Amino acid sequence: MSQAHQSGFISHLIELRNRVMKALLSILLIFLALVYFANDIYSFVASPLVSSLPENSTMIATDVTAPFFAPFKLTLFVALFAAIPMILHQIWSFIAPGLYQHEKRMLIPILLSSILLFYAGIAFCYFVVLPIVLGFFTSVGPDMMTLSPDISSYLSFALKLFFAFGIAFEIPVAIMLLCWSGATSTQSLKEKRPYMVVAAFVVAMFLTPPDVLSQTLLAIPMLMLFELGLLLAKLYTKAPSEKEANE
């Protein structure tokens, strides 16, 4: 019996290794397909900053290697973000055999919505948040100051915001999973609304650069997504109970 368990454990480890390798391979293939366009990708991501800079101001590189490594690093992150559907597919393929049929029907929409919400968070950050934040910070300061942002510093700033908003937009999915699993309920979460407001600003403080504007622009959507998660969780948890009753 112990040998059977050991054999099953080893087979699971082998499958997990294969799934991880496939996920990494998908990232590598996307990266190789995009690396030729690395400079164009960086120009696209930097366009909200470039359009906000004062006239005759440009971005600079304070490190000799930055003009090469900054676009290279960004392209790697773009490949990672683009490969998320494949990565989640590998995770799903690994855990799906251990789920019941009704659990699969419940989790597939959540999996798909998590992908869409992550991309929606990044899009919201790029098209809404970055122009507001960068427009504000490039318009303040002494008149004698010449603003010339470093390309590596801007990349770190933008990636932090992209990751923060992508994760924050997963709040409805997290709430639905918690309520579906029975870890909490919508009524319990509603009673904790005042704490959620404080938590949203605390989390935003850790996820975003140290400025009040970007923290507020993250905290407010988080609170709106929290309310959306409560609404969806209330509707989403009806179906399992009915199925269980029929069974």
Side-chain angles (χ1 to χ4, degrees):
M1 188 68 178
S2 60
Q3 288 182 347
H5 282 164
Q6 186 177 7
S7 174
F9 179 71
I10 292 174
S11 65
H12 278 83
L13 284 179
I14 293 173
E15 183 184 0
L16 178 61
R17 182 199 63 185
N18 292 337
R19 297 292 178 189
V20 171
M21 293 301 295
K22 288 180 181 179
L24 293 176
L25 181 61
S26 66
I27 297 174
L28 177 61
L29 291 176
I30 294 174
F31 172 76
L32 292 176
L34 294 177
V35 71
Y36 178 79
F37 307 99
N39 290 333
D40 296 325
I41 294 172
Y42 190 93
S43 297
F44 176 77
V45 173
S47 61
L49 175 61
V50 174
S51 61
S52 301
L53 288 175
E55 192 176 353
N56 299 324
S57 293
T58 60
M59 299 182 70
I60 62 171
T62 56
D63 191 341
V64 175
T65 61
F68 172 77
F69 280 110
F72 187 88
K73 178 182 176 181
L74 175 59
T75 305
L76 183 59
F77 274 94
V78 170
L80 174 62
F81 291 159
I84 282 178
M86 184 60 182
I87 295 171
L88 291 178
H89 172 70
Q90 295 301 324
I91 295 173
W92 173 256
S93 299
F94 181 72
I95 66 173
L99 300 175
Y100 294 107
Q101 194 62 37
H102 73 277
E103 291 176 331
K104 292 180 182 179
R105 288 196 297 267
M106 293 291 292
L107 290 178
I108 287 176
I110 289 182
L111 184 67
L112 295 176
S113 61
S114 67
I115 296 172
L116 294 176
L117 284 171
F118 183 81
Y119 289 143
I122 294 176
F124 178 79
C125 178
Y126 179 81
F127 291 105
V128 178
V129 176
L130 277 181
I132 294 175
V133 172
L134 296 174
F136 172 77
F137 284 114
T138 55
S139 64
V140 297
D143 293 335
M144 75 286 294
M145 180 188 68
T146 301
L147 182 62
S148 299
D150 177 64
I151 61 173
S152 297
S153 298
Y154 173 73
L155 177 60
S156 298
F157 175 82
L159 288 177
K160 274 185 183 179
L161 285 180
F162 289 151
F163 182 76
F165 277 85
I167 295 299
F169 269 58
E170 300 291 334
I171 289 176
V173 173
I175 292 175
M176 291 165 67
L177 284 173
L178 288 172
C179 293
W180 175 73
S181 65
T184 187
S185 64
T186 55
Q187 185 59 37
S188 175
L189 290 173
K190 286 179 182 178
E191 294 171 357
K192 295 180 174 64
R193 271 197 182 104
Y195 303 102
M196 294 300 175
V197 174
V198 177
F201 281 91
V202 171
V203 171
M205 180 179 65
F206 283 103
L207 290 180
T208 60
D211 64 88
V212 177
L213 184 58
S214 58
Q215 291 168 9
T216 304
L217 288 173
L218 177 58
I220 292 176
M222 286 174 66
L223 294 174
M224 296 173 65
L225 290 165
F226 172 75
E227 295 297 329
L228 176 62
L230 290 180
L231 177 62
L232 294 176
K234 187 176 180 181
L235 300 173
Y236 200 77
T237 50
K238 288 181 180 179
S241 60
E242 292 172 1
K243 290 177 183 176
E244 289 171 3
N246 292 333
E247 289 175 359

